[in-house]
């Protein structure tokens, strides 16, 4: 059984499209506290380390409250956009999303997605980061305002999606496009293999319980 420690509809849809039906259990991790602890340990931690640490915290938190009857592999993920040397997550307001898009228009950034897998039976784990270069288009101010009004940019890293309304504003990517959604399928397949799980064995395997658990 795969337990997805994320409320991201994009990650869930990506897994389902790939033939995997996970259970969903959203983590309750305080992300700012996790990042602050990382900064104290390593003041120079870059975006790849940050998303990896958040993915790890989320996966372990969910694994810690998973019962013996729910044995499987917990998948934790987190994403951040790095642009012009600055690391950004979800915008806190419409104005922040507006400013973000003003800096992204016609530019390129790197979307880092951390992955951490833990096997609940014995605590074995595997981890990795997917980094994909994203080339942004040049939407007009009116298009940006209309996009922000939908609310979509406010709940995703970098204030955009590639698999939703924001996809029309992305000119191209260099790397795994699934990583931009927030879960890299090739990387996930390799990490699962490290834990003894064959990707194709997951195809069509039904979830053993309701999809979402708060």
């Amino acid at each position: 059984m795969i337990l997805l420690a994320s409320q991201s509809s994009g990650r869930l849809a990506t897994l389902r499209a790939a033939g995997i039906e996970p259970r969903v259990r959203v983590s309750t991790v305080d992300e700012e506290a996790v990042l602050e602890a990382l900064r104290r340990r390593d003041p120079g931690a870059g975006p790849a380390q940050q998303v990896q640490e958040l993915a790890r915290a989320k996966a372990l938190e969910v694994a810690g409250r998973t019962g013996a009857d729910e044995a499987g592999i917990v998948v934790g993920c987190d994403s951040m956009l790095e642009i012009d040397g600055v690391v950004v997550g979800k915008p806190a307001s419409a104005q922040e999303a507006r400013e973000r898009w003003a800096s992204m228009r016609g530019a390129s950034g790197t979307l880092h997605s951390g992955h951490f897998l833990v096997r609940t039976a014995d605590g074995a784990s595997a981890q990795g980061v997917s980094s994909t270069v994203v080339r942004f288009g040049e939407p007009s101010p009116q298009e940006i305002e209309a996009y922000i009004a939908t609310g979509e940019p406010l709940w995703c890293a970098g204030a955009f999606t590639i698999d939703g309304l924001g996809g029309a504003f992305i000119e191209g990517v260099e790397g795994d496009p699934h990583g931009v959604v927030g879960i890299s399928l090739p990387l996930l397949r390799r990490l699962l293999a490290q834990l003894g799980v064959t990707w194709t064995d997951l195809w069509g395997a039904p979830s053993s319980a309701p999809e979402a658990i708060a």
Side-chain angles (χ1 to χ4, degrees):
M1 177 183 69
I2 300 298
L3 251 174
L4 179 63
S6 172
Q7 63 183 350
S8 166
S9 58
R11 292 187 180 110
L12 178 59
T14 297
L15 287 175
R16 284 176 167 170
I20 297 174
E21 186 64 40
R23 294 181 66 183
V24 175
R25 177 164 291 174
V26 181
S27 79
T28 58
V29 163
D30 183 335
E31 297 186 20
E32 284 304 315
V34 171
L35 290 177
E36 180 58 33
L38 174 62
R39 285 190 286 266
R40 288 197 298 268
R41 295 196 310 271
D42 183 1
Q49 291 169 277
Q50 293 178 47
V51 294
Q52 188 66 86
E53 186 68 10
L54 286 168
R56 175 180 178 276
K58 292 176 181 180
L60 292 178
E61 190 276 329
V62 168
R65 53 187 172 91
T66 297
D69 60 332
E70 301 172 308
I73 293 178
V74 178
V75 178
C77 300
D78 194 84
S79 300
M80 290 182 181
L81 177 69
E82 180 182 14
I83 187 163
D84 293 331
V86 178
V87 179
V88 296
K90 299 174 184 177
S93 65
Q95 180 58 30
E96 187 175 334
R98 191 174 294 112
E99 294 169 355
R100 188 82 54 77
W101 266 100
S103 67
M104 295 191 311
R105 289 181 71 252
S108 294
T110 302
L111 200 292
H112 303 280
S113 288
H115 301 62
F116 191 94
L117 279 60
V118 58
R119 189 165 56 205
T120 59
D122 58 7
S125 63
Q127 62 183 317
V129 176
S130 166
S131 297
T132 303
V133 175
V134 181
R135 291 185 286 108
F136 297 100
E138 298 188 40
S140 69
Q142 293 80 7
E143 288 175 316
I144 291 174
E145 286 302 319
Y147 184 39
I148 292 171
T150 68
E152 182 179 273
L154 301 181
W155 51 261
C156 44
F160 77 96
T161 64
I162 194 174
D163 59 331
L165 298 175
F169 305 139
I170 307 303
E171 292 294 329
V173 300
E174 298 171 23
D176 177 20
H178 298 106
V180 182
V181 179
I183 187 163
S184 168
L185 297 181
L187 175 57
L188 181 60
R189 181 185 64 80
R190 295 194 298 271
L191 296 178
L192 284 167
Q194 292 178 31
L195 297 179
V197 178
T198 300
W199 181 261
T200 51
D201 288 346
L202 297 172
W203 286 348
S207 171
S208 60
E211 168 192 312
I213 304 174

